[in-house]
């Protein structure tokens, strides 16, 4: 059982060393970027302005046409509606909205 602990400790140590090394690299990279930006800002070069965006016009208004009732439409309630009525007898009856004539 002792070799397992030795291997686990070695792997843990290697992981911690790798993590520390990665953090050092990130810190060095961040400081290099900061130094580069600081040098650029102190150089006096003009900074180009960001391009201005044009306002987007609103989409055109479209009329919504209600579909006409077809002859295929069921005249009697469907089986699903009947099943719901049986399952929930206390629910109030709702009718589909009739589109207004324009």
């Amino acid at each position: 059982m002792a070799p397992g602990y030795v291997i686990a400790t070695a792997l843990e140590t290697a992981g911690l060393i790798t993590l520390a090394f990665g953090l050092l690299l990130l810190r060095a990279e961040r400081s290099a970027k900061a130094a580069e930006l600081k040098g650029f800002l102190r150089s006096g070069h003009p900074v180009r302005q960001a391009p201005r965006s044009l306002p987007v016009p609103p989409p055109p208004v479209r009329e919504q046409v209600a579909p006409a009732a077809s002859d295929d439409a069921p005249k009697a309630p469907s089986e699903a509606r009947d099943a719901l009525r049986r399952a929930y007898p206390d629910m109030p009856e709702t009718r589909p909205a009739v589109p207004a004539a324009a």
Side-chain angles (χ1 to χ4, degrees):
M1 212 164 151
Y5 286 119
V6 172
I7 293 171
T9 304
L11 291 175
E12 289 276 340
T13 305
L16 289 175
I17 291 172
T18 305
L19 178 65
F21 184 68
L23 290 175
L24 286 174
L25 285 178
L26 284 175
R27 183 175 175 193
E29 185 178 328
R30 190 180 317 140
S31 64
K33 282 184 182 180
E36 182 182 348
L37 180 61
K38 191 184 294 184
F40 176 74
L41 292 176
R42 288 186 178 171
S43 68
H45 292 344
V47 178
R48 189 174 64 115
Q49 289 184 346
R52 296 189 178 196
S53 61
L54 300 174
V56 178
V61 178
R62 296 182 182 166
E63 289 187 29
Q64 298 218 351
V65 179
S70 65
D71 295 335
D72 304 1
K75 304 294 186 223
S78 66
E79 291 178 20
R81 185 174 294 263
D82 286 338
L84 284 171
R85 280 194 196 123
R86 287 191 305 271
Y88 301 103
D90 297 336
M91 289 286 283
E93 181 67 28
T94 57
R95 302 277 178 203
V98 179

